[in-house]
Amino acid sequence: MYRNAQDLLHLLTHEIRDLDIGYTVEKIPASQLTSLTFFREYVSRNKPVIITGAINHWPALRAWTVDYIREILGSAKICVASTPHGRADSVINADGSQYFALPYEEQMPVQDFFAQLHNGTRGEKIYAQAQNNSLPEQFGALLPDVEEPNWATEAFGVPPEATNLWIGTDDSVTSFHKDHYENIYAVVKGRKLFTLLPPSDAYRLYFQTCQVARYHKDAEGTLVLQPEEPHHEVPWATVDPYPSSEEVEQASRAAHPEYWDPQLPPPLEVDLGPGEVLYLPSLWFHHVRQQASADDDACVIAVNYWYEMAFDCKAAYAKLAEQLATALYTLPQSNA
């Protein structure tokens, strides 16, 4: 007999890994992939996979330098996110409280964006991260340099709901979160480093309900975090898998023992390089870091395709896992 909800969640974590997901993310060549095998082996099983050779034909892989993008886009303006530290959409401690911090956003000429990318004003870290179908909407002149993954579109049965372009540096880090989309993520330049946990492991991320705040610029142009009005809150993961110091790591290990527990399977790690594609299933938790290319551009460029997820039994299982996680955090062990 299991003692409590914690034991059952631990069992679920182990069984999902042992029965299906495994302990590494499989890598397969696109030549071995059809829409049918992709759906059967990965989509239907909600299982991530790295695909090589799927975008080798994209002109973007060879053409997308900073100079090329500047020339093609000319005077176009794009949406740029700014923070003091490169951590937009994450939990920030300020004035003794925890806030879910949204970035300062502004429309900026592409020329200015690249000029500031490595020399942010007043220490700002900037990132082109708009998730509103940004490739066709803001970078439309670059659209002919990529091609929709037809094998994915056939598998999902619908066209992408959004196609986004991401341009940043090593400074930009995305905190643990999940998306209600099936994600086809392709790296064009630099590297993306994903840390993944399946929906069953929600309890390991220590979600807290935080007041939403946003960075604004004061009269001197300095970024200042201000709570949003009217007041509203969101639940967000508080675990940082890559603490900034040994002291911070020790504090995290004390506050988040389920994440760091050596008896539990570690998160899956994905190092995605130029020309590689990650299928990131819907509802999977992911934390993302970046490594800029070693060339003179020193930036990271990626394109992702979001497909609408099916709200089926998978979504119900994920919701149950989150509800159990909430119970685990709020109920005494003896009553779980």
Side-chain angles (χ1 to χ4, degrees):
M1 178 178 293
Y2 299 104
R3 292 183 298 112
N4 50 34
Q6 185 179 46
D7 287 336
L8 294 172
L9 286 167
H10 286 184
L11 179 62
L12 178 62
T13 291
H14 283 286
E15 287 194 334
I16 283 179
R17 296 295 189 91
D18 294 338
L19 293 175
D20 187 23
I21 292 173
Y23 293 79
T24 59
V25 176
E26 184 181 358
K27 181 180 289 191
I28 62 170
S31 59
Q32 297 180 10
L33 191 71
T34 66
S35 57
L36 177 60
T37 57
F38 175 59
F39 182 84
R40 183 182 63 225
E41 298 298 326
Y42 303 103
V43 177
S44 66
R45 294 161 65 179
N46 200 231
K47 182 176 180 178
V49 63
I50 301 167
I51 304 156
T52 61
I55 62 170
N56 285 352
H57 61 291
W58 282 13
L61 284 177
R62 293 163 289 281
W64 281 9
T65 63
V66 169
D67 287 343
Y68 174 85
I69 295 173
R70 280 173 161 165
E71 180 182 353
I72 293 297
L73 294 181
S75 60
K77 289 187 175 182
I78 61 172
C79 181
V80 177
S82 303
T83 63
H85 37 59
R87 295 175 179 267
D89 303 333
S90 63
V91 176
I92 300 295
N93 294 310
D95 302 324
S97 299
Q98 285 191 318
Y99 295 98
F100 175 67
L102 297 169
Y104 175 75
E105 293 183 333
E106 61 181 320
Q107 293 293 316
M108 181 183 295
V110 169
Q111 310 293 336
D112 293 350
F113 167 71
F114 282 114
Q116 295 183 33
L117 190 58
H118 299 289
N119 302 288
T121 305
R122 297 178 184 274
E124 293 175 27
K125 310 300 182 183
I126 63 174
Y127 192 18
Q129 61 159 28
Q131 299 157 49
N132 56 355
N133 204 30
S134 64
L135 181 52
E137 297 293 335
Q138 297 183 35
F139 301 88
L142 297 175
L143 200 55
D145 294 337
V146 302
E147 182 180 290
E148 178 184 316
N150 292 330
W151 45 271
T153 298
E154 291 176 5
F156 295 124
V158 292
E161 190 164 302
T163 303
N164 301 308
L165 180 64
W166 310 74
I167 307 176
T169 66
D170 293 5
D171 294 320
S172 297
V173 177
T174 304
S175 64
F176 262 123
H177 68 287
K178 66 178 181 182
D179 296 313
H180 290 84
Y181 292 101
E182 304 285 3
N183 195 349
I184 301 296
Y185 203 101
V187 173
V188 174
K189 196 178 191 68
R191 309 193 76 82
K192 290 279 187 171
L193 309 175
F194 291 82
T195 302
L196 308 179
L197 283 173
S200 60
D201 285 22
Y203 70 98
R204 302 179 67 183
L205 294 176
Y206 294 86
F207 280 77
Q208 290 189 14
T209 299
C210 303
Q211 183 177 357
V212 177
R214 183 182 291 275
Y215 285 102
H216 296 265
K217 288 191 175 180
D218 62 16
E220 286 73 40
T222 302
L223 289 173
V224 178
L225 189 64
Q226 297 178 354
E228 292 249 281
E229 295 294 342
H231 177 105
H232 62 292
E233 299 176 334
V234 297
W236 206 259
T238 58
V239 172
D240 180 356
Y242 297 95
S244 57
S245 67
E246 184 176 345
E247 181 181 5
V248 174
E249 179 176 338
Q250 291 305 315
S252 180
R253 288 182 178 275
H256 312 122
E258 298 282 10
Y259 181 82
W260 299 100
D261 188 346
Q263 301 304 313
L264 292 174
L268 301 176
E269 301 284 353
V270 172
D271 183 342
L272 202 67
E276 294 183 323
V277 174
L278 172 66
Y279 165 54
L280 178 59
S282 56
L283 305 179
W284 270 67
F285 297 104
H286 50 289
H287 177 281
V288 192
R289 297 174 294 142
Q290 306 188 123
Q291 286 183 353
S293 57
D295 59 25
D296 292 339
D297 290 344
C299 63
V300 182
I301 304 178
V303 175
N304 88 292
Y305 297 86
W306 268 340
Y307 292 85
E308 185 176 359
M309 66 168 277
F311 285 86
D312 50 18
C313 59
K314 169 188 62 183
Y317 298 151
K319 185 175 181 179
L320 173 61
E322 291 183 10
Q323 291 172 333
L324 289 173
T326 300
L328 180 63
Y329 294 150
T330 57
L331 297 178
Q333 286 285 319
S334 58
N335 295 335

